[in-house]
Amino acid sequence: MTKITFTETDTHYMQRALELAAQGRFTTHPNPNVGCIVVDFSNDKAGEVVGEGFHERAGEAHAEVNALAAAGDAAKGATVYVTLEPCNHTGRTPPCVDALIKADVARVVVALEDPFPKVAGAGIKRLKKAGIKVEVGLLEREAYAISRGFFTCHKLGRPYVQLKMAASIDGRTALANGKSKWITGHEARADVQVGRAQAGAILTGAGTVLADDPVLNVRPTEFPTGTVYPGEPGKQDVRQPVRVIIDHRGEVKPDAKLFTCGGPVWLIRASASGMQLPENAEEIVMETGVTGRIDLTALLQLIAERGIHTVWVEAGARLAGALLTAELVDELVVYMSPKLLGDQSMGMFHLGNITHMDKVPVWEYSSVESIGTDVKMVLTKTAGFGLR
């Protein structure tokens, strides 16, 4: 197959489409983040942007439809840059290929083919059949990254898992007596809110709930300065991730704070508890097998089957270690504070006894940045883009 050579101009406009896609990162779930830009390259308007759009919420117009609506008649003969293949099926909204064909655009540049079985190349074929020039593969890695949960779900049958930890520089997460507030500073905790807001679910264990009684919700009022949640400040329709609590023994009680914010809570238990739970809570009973513990792979598959493609984990060393040992973590997000808690304090992960250096898990730094007085490190462990 002949590799398509894109111009610097093409790259410039696709980068803008990716910026637009990112604007929906807090609200789009469970749909992918998609941005679109319509550009007029006619002689009198060489490279004028005539329409922009992004997908904001499931059930609402897709990025292409929003961009075409902004362009109006100027879309005729224009080039469209879109971060994901236009859909060719009727879901909660009509097919985007129909809108593109009706608008009589001349060219469509697509970053990545859609892995969703009802699309998976069919949208591209339909556009080509209508006489529209289609080119695929521009900034595909960047487009993959911005909707990585969506792609992971379709490729692996489970969500993209981000494990967040806050630790001292000696790798400790709490004092021996369990006290941990606060290891990191205000700025780092504000950044955690952004991580939560992009997830479809927040996963933790009963031990964390019993020890800290957290709410585990998204609070845009605590976002870092300059980070905007869509909508009028203080009146946003905030999408709360599902809080998923692994509670083998039914220890989490109905008066826990995590039930108070109104967002959905799933209690994953080994047997029915018979508790009278709040309206926003659901008890899900899963088999444990000989271990007596919830099968984490089966749990993540269940979460994916329920339409969630990104999971943000805030948990103690035991659950964190179990996820790592089972190779179910895609990304480590570590906030490290310039503090020393001592060797009697609690460690980050329970990983068992590793006796050979060639068996040591190796991660790659994706980014390292200062946040307030702390350092945020993002690490990934992957077989390579698109190969997992």
Side-chain angles (χ1 to χ4, degrees), residues 95-113:
C96 290
V97 292
D98 288 355
L100 290 163
I101 293 169
K102 184 178 180 180
D104 198 18
V105 302
R107 177 181 178 231
V108 176
V109 181
V110 178
L112 268 179
E113 197 172 291

Side-chain angles (χ1 to χ4, degrees), residues 14 34 51 59 82 103 122 133 188 203 220 250 272 276 294 307 313 321 341 357 374:
M14 186 61 80
V34 183
V82 62
K133 184 178 182 180
L203 175 66
Q276 185 66 39
I294 301 299
V313 183
L341 299 189
M357 283 302 297
D374 306 307

Side-chain angles (χ1 to χ4, degrees), residues 62-85:
H62 288 187
E64 300 94 319
V65 172
N66 288 331
L68 290 170
D73 293 340
K76 184 175 181 178
T79 294
V80 174
Y81 297 88
V82 62
T83 60
L84 187 67
E85 176 185 4

Side-chain angles (χ1 to χ4, degrees), residues 237-312:
D237 181 14
V238 178
R239 181 189 63 80
Q240 292 294 343
V242 178
R243 276 77 51 77
V244 181
I245 317 301
I246 299 177
D247 184 20
H248 300 85
R249 295 182 289 270
E251 297 173 294
V252 176
K253 304 304 180 188
D255 60 354
K257 285 183 181 178
L258 59 90
F259 297 114
T260 61
C261 81
V265 179
W266 298 349
L267 296 169
I268 312 300
R269 289 171 166 166
S271 60
S273 67
M275 290 182 185
Q276 185 66 39
L277 295 171
E279 289 185 0
N280 61 328
E282 178 183 357
E283 185 176 71
I284 300 174
V285 176
M286 296 187 67
E287 294 183 3
T288 58
V290 295
T291 65
R293 295 190 171 276
I294 301 299
D295 184 316
L296 295 175
T297 299
L299 173 58
L300 289 174
Q301 289 171 344
L302 171 70
I303 291 171
E305 288 167 1
R306 289 185 165 215
I308 291 173
H309 59 57
T310 308
V311 171
W312 177 267

Side-chain angles (χ1 to χ4, degrees), residues 21-46:
Q23 292 183 32
R25 67 193 187 278
F26 300 131
T27 53
T28 303
H29 199 281
N31 288 356
N33 301 315
V34 183
C36 180
I37 184 168
V38 183
V39 184
D40 186 348
F41 285 107
S42 60
N43 292 332
D44 59 335
K45 295 182 178 179

Side-chain angles (χ1 to χ4, degrees), residues 6 8 86 129 166 218 220 239 273 283 295 315 332 352 354 359 363:
F6 295 101
E8 290 185 8
K129 188 175 180 180
V218 174
R239 181 189 63 80
S273 67
E283 185 176 71
D295 184 316
L332 279 171
I354 303 173
K359 300 296 183 183
W363 291 72

